[in-house]
Amino acid sequence: PQIVMGNVSGSIAANAGVAMALIFWIVSAHKDSGKTYIADGRTVFLNALFLPAAAAVMFFTVKGGVSRPGGALLLFILAVYLFLNSQTVPEFTPVKIHGSVSKEAARFFLALAVLLAASRAVVWAAANLARLAGISEFVIAATIIAVGTSLPEIATSVSAVRRGETPLAGGNIVGSQAFNLYLLPGFAALIRPVEIVNSGFIFGWLFIILAELTLFMRARKIPAKIKAAALFLTYILYVISNLKTF
């Protein structure tokens, strides 16, 4: 249970404080970085409703853990979120792409497998080192394991933003946040009710991180470097507070 919720909160924090911070830092190299934003108003409103607002609701309602019915509810909310997000996607004009679909699919799955295997190796080695050092399971999950499992998001998002596909990179992070918030505890609770120690601390931090993230997705007047620095600083404070609390 400690590892489940540690991974949930830590992955959300790492995605915002490392991956999204890197995105904004790279974007800051553009001369129009002060006007750069990740998503339109409708998308930001939807994510604000299902991410920081949901974390705030969980702060007041989730006490002690997530039951099996609670897990089913989280999965249902995730399904609603995905459906509503699909309705905000504009229609795309088909374009001709040279090359074989099967070849590109094979390259995609091969790269994904290598990326996942590498991140798992990092997690395994780092977790063993942390246990030998006597660090608690929650802190291991919230820091080392969370960063390791966030490596695919970090790598793909940085790659996308370097190609000028900033909305794709941002969508990757935001979608991952929703899956971390709903899918991981929801699916785990269906298998076995998840006990949550110090739920107010966990969901309080999730609200802060997710609120900051959704604000920066749309904010036009805040320079990208300021966004990057603020997200990274919040992540550092999150890690320090975890080390002192657990």
PDB file of all heavy atoms in Angstrom, residues 118-142:
ATOM      1  N   ALA A 118      14.764  -0.184 -19.632  1.00  0.00           N
ATOM      2  CA  ALA A 118      15.789   0.667 -19.025  1.00  0.00           C
ATOM      3  C   ALA A 118      15.267   1.325 -17.749  1.00  0.00           C
ATOM      4  O   ALA A 118      15.969   1.382 -16.733  1.00  0.00           O
ATOM      5  CB  ALA A 118      16.244   1.720 -20.016  1.00  0.00           C
ATOM      6  N   SER A 119      14.028   1.811 -17.787  1.00  0.00           N
ATOM      7  CA  SER A 119      13.472   2.469 -16.602  1.00  0.00           C
ATOM      8  C   SER A 119      13.282   1.473 -15.464  1.00  0.00           C
ATOM      9  O   SER A 119      13.509   1.789 -14.297  1.00  0.00           O
ATOM     10  CB  SER A 119      12.134   3.145 -16.938  1.00  0.00           C
ATOM     11  OG  SER A 119      11.159   2.190 -17.309  1.00  0.00           O
ATOM     12  N   ARG A 120      12.878   0.239 -15.797  1.00  0.00           N
ATOM     13  CA  ARG A 120      12.724  -0.795 -14.767  1.00  0.00           C
ATOM     14  C   ARG A 120      14.069  -1.140 -14.131  1.00  0.00           C
ATOM     15  O   ARG A 120      14.158  -1.373 -12.926  1.00  0.00           O
ATOM     16  CB  ARG A 120      12.086  -2.062 -15.369  1.00  0.00           C
ATOM     17  CG  ARG A 120      10.629  -1.904 -15.750  1.00  0.00           C
ATOM     18  CD  ARG A 120       9.757  -1.683 -14.515  1.00  0.00           C
ATOM     19  NE  ARG A 120       8.358  -1.552 -14.868  1.00  0.00           N
ATOM     20  CZ  ARG A 120       7.756  -0.413 -15.153  1.00  0.00           C
ATOM     21  NH1 ARG A 120       8.446   0.711 -15.133  1.00  0.00           N
ATOM     22  NH2 ARG A 120       6.480  -0.367 -15.453  1.00  0.00           N
ATOM     23  N   ALA A 121      15.126  -1.182 -14.934  1.00  0.00           N
ATOM     24  CA  ALA A 121      16.458  -1.481 -14.408  1.00  0.00           C
ATOM     25  C   ALA A 121      16.908  -0.391 -13.440  1.00  0.00           C
ATOM     26  O   ALA A 121      17.478  -0.671 -12.382  1.00  0.00           O
ATOM     27  CB  ALA A 121      17.456  -1.628 -15.555  1.00  0.00           C
ATOM     28  N   VAL A 122      16.633   0.872 -13.810  1.00  0.00           N
ATOM     29  CA  VAL A 122      16.976   1.988 -12.927  1.00  0.00           C
ATOM     30  C   VAL A 122      16.206   1.885 -11.618  1.00  0.00           C
ATOM     31  O   VAL A 122      16.765   2.067 -10.526  1.00  0.00           O
ATOM     32  CB  VAL A 122      16.671   3.332 -13.625  1.00  0.00           C
ATOM     33  CG1 VAL A 122      16.805   4.490 -12.642  1.00  0.00           C
ATOM     34  CG2 VAL A 122      17.604   3.539 -14.800  1.00  0.00           C
ATOM     35  N   VAL A 123      14.920   1.587 -11.696  1.00  0.00           N
ATOM     36  CA  VAL A 123      14.085   1.460 -10.502  1.00  0.00           C
ATOM     37  C   VAL A 123      14.601   0.356  -9.595  1.00  0.00           C
ATOM     38  O   VAL A 123      14.732   0.519  -8.378  1.00  0.00           O
ATOM     39  CB  VAL A 123      12.614   1.184 -10.899  1.00  0.00           C
ATOM     40  CG1 VAL A 123      11.802   0.780  -9.680  1.00  0.00           C
ATOM     41  CG2 VAL A 123      12.014   2.409 -11.554  1.00  0.00           C
ATOM     42  N   TRP A 124      14.884  -0.810 -10.164  1.00  0.00           N
ATOM     43  CA  TRP A 124      15.323  -1.971  -9.379  1.00  0.00           C
ATOM     44  C   TRP A 124      16.619  -1.671  -8.637  1.00  0.00           C
ATOM     45  O   TRP A 124      16.739  -1.920  -7.437  1.00  0.00           O
ATOM     46  CB  TRP A 124      15.521  -3.166 -10.308  1.00  0.00           C
ATOM     47  CG  TRP A 124      16.027  -4.390  -9.609  1.00  0.00           C
ATOM     48  CD1 TRP A 124      15.309  -5.298  -8.884  1.00  0.00           C
ATOM     49  CD2 TRP A 124      17.390  -4.839  -9.566  1.00  0.00           C
ATOM     50  NE1 TRP A 124      16.124  -6.271  -8.390  1.00  0.00           N
ATOM     51  CE2 TRP A 124      17.403  -6.027  -8.789  1.00  0.00           C
ATOM     52  CE3 TRP A 124      18.581  -4.351 -10.107  1.00  0.00           C
ATOM     53  CZ2 TRP A 124      18.585  -6.721  -8.544  1.00  0.00           C
ATOM     54  CZ3 TRP A 124      19.756  -5.049  -9.853  1.00  0.00           C
ATOM     55  CH2 TRP A 124      19.747  -6.222  -9.079  1.00  0.00           C
ATOM     56  N   ALA A 125      17.596  -1.105  -9.339  1.00  0.00           N
ATOM     57  CA  ALA A 125      18.898  -0.824  -8.728  1.00  0.00           C
ATOM     58  C   ALA A 125      18.783   0.253  -7.647  1.00  0.00           C
ATOM     59  O   ALA A 125      19.321   0.108  -6.545  1.00  0.00           O
ATOM     60  CB  ALA A 125      19.892  -0.394  -9.801  1.00  0.00           C
ATOM     61  N   ALA A 126      18.064   1.322  -7.971  1.00  0.00           N
ATOM     62  CA  ALA A 126      17.939   2.427  -7.021  1.00  0.00           C
ATOM     63  C   ALA A 126      17.150   2.030  -5.781  1.00  0.00           C
ATOM     64  O   ALA A 126      17.485   2.425  -4.659  1.00  0.00           O
ATOM     65  CB  ALA A 126      17.288   3.621  -7.703  1.00  0.00           C
ATOM     66  N   ALA A 127      16.093   1.246  -5.962  1.00  0.00           N
ATOM     67  CA  ALA A 127      15.279   0.814  -4.826  1.00  0.00           C
ATOM     68  C   ALA A 127      16.083  -0.071  -3.880  1.00  0.00           C
ATOM     69  O   ALA A 127      15.976   0.043  -2.653  1.00  0.00           O
ATOM     70  CB  ALA A 127      14.045   0.074  -5.323  1.00  0.00           C
ATOM     71  N   ASN A 128      16.891  -0.961  -4.431  1.00  0.00           N
ATOM     72  CA  ASN A 128      17.734  -1.810  -3.588  1.00  0.00           C
ATOM     73  C   ASN A 128      18.741  -0.984  -2.798  1.00  0.00           C
ATOM     74  O   ASN A 128      18.976  -1.240  -1.606  1.00  0.00           O
ATOM     75  CB  ASN A 128      18.470  -2.849  -4.448  1.00  0.00           C
ATOM     76  CG  ASN A 128      17.559  -3.998  -4.862  1.00  0.00           C
ATOM     77  OD1 ASN A 128      16.543  -4.250  -4.222  1.00  0.00           O
ATOM     78  ND2 ASN A 128      17.916  -4.676  -5.933  1.00  0.00           N
ATOM     79  N   LEU A 129      19.330   0.011  -3.439  1.00  0.00           N
ATOM     80  CA  LEU A 129      20.274   0.881  -2.741  1.00  0.00           C
ATOM     81  C   LEU A 129      19.584   1.641  -1.607  1.00  0.00           C
ATOM     82  O   LEU A 129      20.130   1.789  -0.510  1.00  0.00           O
ATOM     83  CB  LEU A 129      20.893   1.879  -3.727  1.00  0.00           C
ATOM     84  CG  LEU A 129      21.948   1.312  -4.687  1.00  0.00           C
ATOM     85  CD1 LEU A 129      22.348   2.380  -5.703  1.00  0.00           C
ATOM     86  CD2 LEU A 129      23.177   0.838  -3.918  1.00  0.00           C
ATOM     87  N   ALA A 130      18.370   2.131  -1.867  1.00  0.00           N
ATOM     88  CA  ALA A 130      17.636   2.888  -0.858  1.00  0.00           C
ATOM     89  C   ALA A 130      17.260   2.015   0.333  1.00  0.00           C
ATOM     90  O   ALA A 130      17.355   2.445   1.490  1.00  0.00           O
ATOM     91  CB  ALA A 130      16.381   3.500  -1.472  1.00  0.00           C
ATOM     92  N   ARG A 131      16.837   0.779   0.057  1.00  0.00           N
ATOM     93  CA  ARG A 131      16.490  -0.132   1.159  1.00  0.00           C
ATOM     94  C   ARG A 131      17.709  -0.436   2.017  1.00  0.00           C
ATOM     95  O   ARG A 131      17.610  -0.530   3.239  1.00  0.00           O
ATOM     96  CB  ARG A 131      15.880  -1.414   0.590  1.00  0.00           C
ATOM     97  CG  ARG A 131      14.476  -1.236   0.043  1.00  0.00           C
ATOM     98  CD  ARG A 131      13.786  -2.572  -0.175  1.00  0.00           C
ATOM     99  NE  ARG A 131      12.431  -2.380  -0.637  1.00  0.00           N
ATOM    100  CZ  ARG A 131      12.069  -2.403  -1.911  1.00  0.00           C
ATOM    101  NH1 ARG A 131      12.985  -2.605  -2.849  1.00  0.00           N
ATOM    102  NH2 ARG A 131      10.813  -2.221  -2.255  1.00  0.00           N
ATOM    103  N   LEU A 132      18.851  -0.615   1.379  1.00  0.00           N
ATOM    104  CA  LEU A 132      20.086  -0.858   2.129  1.00  0.00           C
ATOM    105  C   LEU A 132      20.439   0.338   3.012  1.00  0.00           C
ATOM    106  O   LEU A 132      21.062   0.188   4.063  1.00  0.00           O
ATOM    107  CB  LEU A 132      21.242  -1.164   1.169  1.00  0.00           C
ATOM    108  CG  LEU A 132      21.172  -2.507   0.430  1.00  0.00           C
ATOM    109  CD1 LEU A 132      22.282  -2.608  -0.607  1.00  0.00           C
ATOM    110  CD2 LEU A 132      21.276  -3.669   1.425  1.00  0.00           C
ATOM    111  N   ALA A 133      20.014   1.528   2.567  1.00  0.00           N
ATOM    112  CA  ALA A 133      20.280   2.743   3.340  1.00  0.00           C
ATOM    113  C   ALA A 133      19.242   2.978   4.424  1.00  0.00           C
ATOM    114  O   ALA A 133      19.358   3.930   5.201  1.00  0.00           O
ATOM    115  CB  ALA A 133      20.332   3.946   2.406  1.00  0.00           C
ATOM    116  N   GLY A 134      18.213   2.126   4.487  1.00  0.00           N
ATOM    117  CA  GLY A 134      17.203   2.236   5.537  1.00  0.00           C
ATOM    118  C   GLY A 134      16.139   3.287   5.303  1.00  0.00           C
ATOM    119  O   GLY A 134      15.543   3.805   6.255  1.00  0.00           O
ATOM    120  N   ILE A 135      15.849   3.612   4.047  1.00  0.00           N
ATOM    121  CA  ILE A 135      14.811   4.594   3.720  1.00  0.00           C
ATOM    122  C   ILE A 135      13.455   3.901   3.656  1.00  0.00           C
ATOM    123  O   ILE A 135      13.349   2.762   3.211  1.00  0.00           O
ATOM    124  CB  ILE A 135      15.132   5.287   2.379  1.00  0.00           C
ATOM    125  CG1 ILE A 135      16.504   5.968   2.452  1.00  0.00           C
ATOM    126  CG2 ILE A 135      14.069   6.313   2.018  1.00  0.00           C
ATOM    127  CD1 ILE A 135      16.978   6.542   1.135  1.00  0.00           C
ATOM    128  N   SER A 136      12.388   4.587   4.085  1.00  0.00           N
ATOM    129  CA  SER A 136      11.058   3.986   4.133  1.00  0.00           C
ATOM    130  C   SER A 136      10.529   3.663   2.742  1.00  0.00           C
ATOM    131  O   SER A 136      10.940   4.268   1.746  1.00  0.00           O
ATOM    132  CB  SER A 136      10.066   4.916   4.841  1.00  0.00           C
ATOM    133  OG  SER A 136       9.755   6.021   4.023  1.00  0.00           O
ATOM    134  N   GLU A 137       9.587   2.702   2.686  1.00  0.00           N
ATOM    135  CA  GLU A 137       9.001   2.280   1.406  1.00  0.00           C
ATOM    136  C   GLU A 137       8.316   3.431   0.699  1.00  0.00           C
ATOM    137  O   GLU A 137       8.407   3.578  -0.517  1.00  0.00           O
ATOM    138  CB  GLU A 137       8.004   1.138   1.624  1.00  0.00           C
ATOM    139  CG  GLU A 137       8.633  -0.221   1.854  1.00  0.00           C
ATOM    140  CD  GLU A 137       7.606  -1.327   1.842  1.00  0.00           C
ATOM    141  OE1 GLU A 137       6.383  -1.015   1.819  1.00  0.00           O
ATOM    142  OE2 GLU A 137       8.000  -2.497   1.837  1.00  0.00           O
ATOM    143  N   PHE A 138       7.589   4.267   1.453  1.00  0.00           N
ATOM    144  CA  PHE A 138       6.860   5.369   0.823  1.00  0.00           C
ATOM    145  C   PHE A 138       7.825   6.338   0.154  1.00  0.00           C
ATOM    146  O   PHE A 138       7.600   6.778  -0.974  1.00  0.00           O
ATOM    147  CB  PHE A 138       6.009   6.116   1.852  1.00  0.00           C
ATOM    148  CG  PHE A 138       5.155   7.198   1.245  1.00  0.00           C
ATOM    149  CD1 PHE A 138       3.864   6.914   0.822  1.00  0.00           C
ATOM    150  CD2 PHE A 138       5.631   8.488   1.071  1.00  0.00           C
ATOM    151  CE1 PHE A 138       3.071   7.894   0.239  1.00  0.00           C
ATOM    152  CE2 PHE A 138       4.857   9.474   0.495  1.00  0.00           C
ATOM    153  CZ  PHE A 138       3.573   9.170   0.082  1.00  0.00           C
ATOM    154  N   VAL A 139       8.910   6.680   0.855  1.00  0.00           N
ATOM    155  CA  VAL A 139       9.880   7.621   0.297  1.00  0.00           C
ATOM    156  C   VAL A 139      10.559   7.021  -0.927  1.00  0.00           C
ATOM    157  O   VAL A 139      10.785   7.713  -1.933  1.00  0.00           O
ATOM    158  CB  VAL A 139      10.921   8.025   1.363  1.00  0.00           C
ATOM    159  CG1 VAL A 139      12.036   8.857   0.735  1.00  0.00           C
ATOM    160  CG2 VAL A 139      10.257   8.801   2.479  1.00  0.00           C
ATOM    161  N   ILE A 140      10.880   5.725  -0.870  1.00  0.00           N
ATOM    162  CA  ILE A 140      11.466   5.051  -2.032  1.00  0.00           C
ATOM    163  C   ILE A 140      10.529   5.152  -3.224  1.00  0.00           C
ATOM    164  O   ILE A 140      10.933   5.501  -4.335  1.00  0.00           O
ATOM    165  CB  ILE A 140      11.753   3.569  -1.718  1.00  0.00           C
ATOM    166  CG1 ILE A 140      12.862   3.450  -0.673  1.00  0.00           C
ATOM    167  CG2 ILE A 140      12.162   2.821  -2.991  1.00  0.00           C
ATOM    168  CD1 ILE A 140      13.069   2.038  -0.181  1.00  0.00           C
ATOM    169  N   ALA A 141       9.236   4.860  -2.981  1.00  0.00           N
ATOM    170  CA  ALA A 141       8.254   4.890  -4.068  1.00  0.00           C
ATOM    171  C   ALA A 141       8.016   6.305  -4.578  1.00  0.00           C
ATOM    172  O   ALA A 141       7.855   6.527  -5.775  1.00  0.00           O
ATOM    173  CB  ALA A 141       6.936   4.277  -3.597  1.00  0.00           C
ATOM    174  N   ALA A 142       7.986   7.276  -3.659  1.00  0.00           N
ATOM    175  CA  ALA A 142       7.660   8.657  -4.026  1.00  0.00           C
ATOM    176  C   ALA A 142       8.814   9.369  -4.727  1.00  0.00           C
ATOM    177  O   ALA A 142       8.597  10.403  -5.373  1.00  0.00           O
ATOM    178  CB  ALA A 142       7.258   9.454  -2.788  1.00  0.00           C
TER     179      ALA A 142
END
